[in-house]
Amino acid sequence: MTTRETSTAVDTPASVGSPQNEVGRGTLLGFAAYGIWGLFPLYFDALKPAGPWEILAHRILWTLLLCLLVLLVSRDLGWVRPLLRRPRLLAGTAVAAVLIAVNWVVYVAAVTSGNTSEAALGYFLNPLVTVALGVVVLGERLRVLQWVAVGIGVGAGVYLGVAGGRVPWVALALAFSFALYGLTKKKVGVSLDAIHGLTVETVVLAPVAVVLLLVVGSQGGLEFGRHGGVHTSLLVLSGLVTAVPLLCFAAAARRIPLVSIGLIQFITPVMQLLCAVLLLDEHMPRERWIGFAVVWVALVVLTVDSLVGMRSARAARRQLPVDDCPR
C-alpha cells in the first residue's frame, strides 16, 4: 500500500479542539485511509485492460500534477530551495521513490492478473518484515514475543512455498519493498511532510513514467481514451486516489498513537482478501488459507507485544519522579 511514510511528517498535533476530539478525528481519518487502501483491488481491477506499466505511469503523472496544483494554490513552495541544498535527503528520497514504484507496479500487476489474495498476504507479512529489518539493518533488539512473531512468520512463508510448489514472490516483493521504503525514510531522517514528500518522489519518477508511456505506446498497448469516458476518468483520478488516503493517514498519524495506527493497518489486507474472494472471484487454495491463518497467529502475537509494551511504557512514565521528567 502506497505510501505510509507520513508517520515522519513534521506537522505537530492540531491544537484546536480537545484531546478526546482529536483522537476521535484521528481514528476516523485512519480508518478512512486504510479503508480506501483496502478497496484498491476493485479500483485497479476496473482499470483493465490497461496494463500495470501504463497504470503506474498514469498514477505517477496525475499524482504529480495534483501535488503541483495543491502547492501552487496554497503558495507552498518555500521548502523547495532548502531541499535542494540537502543532497543526502534528495538521494534518500530518490531511493524511496524507486522502492514505492516497485511496490505500486507489483501490486497493480497482482490485482490485474488475478492474484489479489497473494498481494493481501504481502501486506499481512509487511509488519513482520519491518521488524526483521530493524534487527538486521538497524541492530535493534527484539523482545521475546517479537522473536516469536517473526519466527512464526518465517514458518508461514516456508510453508506457503513448499505447499504451493513455488515461492510467493508477489507477497514477498510487496512486503520487502514497502518495508525497505519505510526503512529508507527512517535512515534518511526525512523532514518532508506528506504532500512535499509525495511531490518529490513523483518528480523523481516522472521521467520514468513518460518513458513507460512512450514504450507502451510504441507497441500499441496504450488503453487511455479507448474505452469510454468512465475508464479514462478512472485513469485520470489515479492521482487523487493515491493522494487522498496518504493525506488522511498523515492527519491520523499526528493525532493517535503509533500502536493504534499499527492495529488499524490490518484493515487493509483483510479488505483486500475479502475483495479478492467475494467480489473478484479469486480461487483460494486450501494451503493458502492455512498459510494466512499462520500469519494471522504471528500478527496476533506481534499485536499483543505492542499493547504490552505500550502499557509498560505508560506505567514507567507514571513512576518517574517529577524532577526526573525531561523538559
Side-chain angles (χ1 to χ4, degrees):
M1 288 237 6
T2 117
T3 50
R4 277 160 250 185
E5 75 276 19
T6 53
S7 60
T8 56
V10 296
D11 298 332
T12 56
S15 58
V16 180
S18 68
Q20 292 82 2
N21 289 339
E22 287 300 302
V23 170
R25 187 180 306 169
T27 301
L28 289 175
L29 288 167
F31 275 104
Y34 285 108
I36 293 172
W37 283 324
L39 294 174
F40 267 15
L42 302 181
Y43 179 78
F44 290 121
D45 185 73
L47 296 182
K48 294 189 296 188
W53 294 113
E54 181 181 359
I55 294 173
L56 174 66
H58 280 291
R59 192 174 183 185
I60 292 168
L61 294 176
W62 293 114
T63 299
L64 174 58
L65 179 60
L66 177 65
C67 290
L68 292 177
L69 287 174
V70 170
L71 294 175
L72 289 173
V73 169
S74 61
R75 298 181 180 179
D76 182 17
L77 297 172
W79 56 275
V80 175
R81 185 171 295 178
L83 175 65
L84 296 177
R85 295 195 292 266
R86 301 179 64 182
R88 183 171 179 269
L89 179 56
L90 282 172
T93 305
V95 172
V98 173
L99 288 169
I100 200 61
V102 171
N103 184 272
W104 285 356
V105 75
V106 171
Y107 181 79
V108 173
V111 172
T112 55
S113 64
N115 287 310
T116 303
S117 60
E118 188 170 340
L121 175 63
Y123 288 110
F124 276 122
L125 290 173
N126 175 251
L128 302 173
V129 174
T130 299
V131 170
L133 286 177
V135 175
V136 175
V137 180
L138 302 180
E140 296 177 353
R141 300 181 67 179
L142 298 188
R143 296 183 291 271
V144 173
L145 286 180
Q146 291 175 319
W147 277 115
V148 172
V150 171
I152 295 173
V154 171
V158 172
Y159 169 79
L160 285 168
V162 173
R166 65 178 182 86
V167 177
W169 292 114
V170 169
L172 293 176
L174 289 173
F176 275 92
S177 61
F178 200 81
L180 288 169
Y181 174 78
L183 177 64
T184 301
K185 290 287 191 177
K186 183 177 180 66
K187 291 287 286 185
V188 172
V190 64
S191 58
L192 297 174
D193 67 14
I195 190 71
H196 299 166
L198 187 60
T199 301
V200 176
E201 288 169 9
T202 48
V203 165
V204 170
L205 295 173
V208 178
V210 172
V211 170
L212 285 175
L213 289 179
L214 291 174
V215 171
V216 175
S218 68
Q219 299 173 352
L222 281 181
E223 304 295 340
F224 185 77
R226 292 184 176 182
H227 304 280
V230 173
H231 185 267
T232 301
S233 298
L234 288 175
L235 282 171
V236 173
L237 288 172
S238 60
L240 184 65
V241 169
T242 296
V244 167
L246 172 66
L247 298 177
C248 286
F249 175 83
R254 298 196 302 268
R255 291 172 169 85
I256 59 178
L258 185 61
V259 170
S260 299
I261 288 287
L263 295 177
I264 296 174
Q265 76 172 341
F266 295 128
I267 292 173
T268 296
V270 168
M271 291 181 63
Q272 291 175 353
L273 181 60
L274 291 175
C275 286
V277 176
L278 301 179
L279 300 177
L280 299 179
D281 297 323
E282 287 191 16
H283 172 64
M284 279 277 288
R286 184 180 62 179
E287 59 269 13
R288 186 170 294 181
W289 280 115
I290 296 174
F292 266 92
V294 176
V295 171
W296 288 331
V297 170
L299 294 177
V300 169
V301 173
L302 196 62
T303 300
V304 170
D305 175 80
S306 298
L307 293 174
V308 170
M310 181 177 66
R311 189 173 301 171
S312 299
R314 286 178 177 174
R317 285 196 298 268
R318 285 197 297 267
Q319 293 173 3
L320 279 176
V322 174
D323 290 343
D324 292 338
C325 292
R327 293 176 172 83

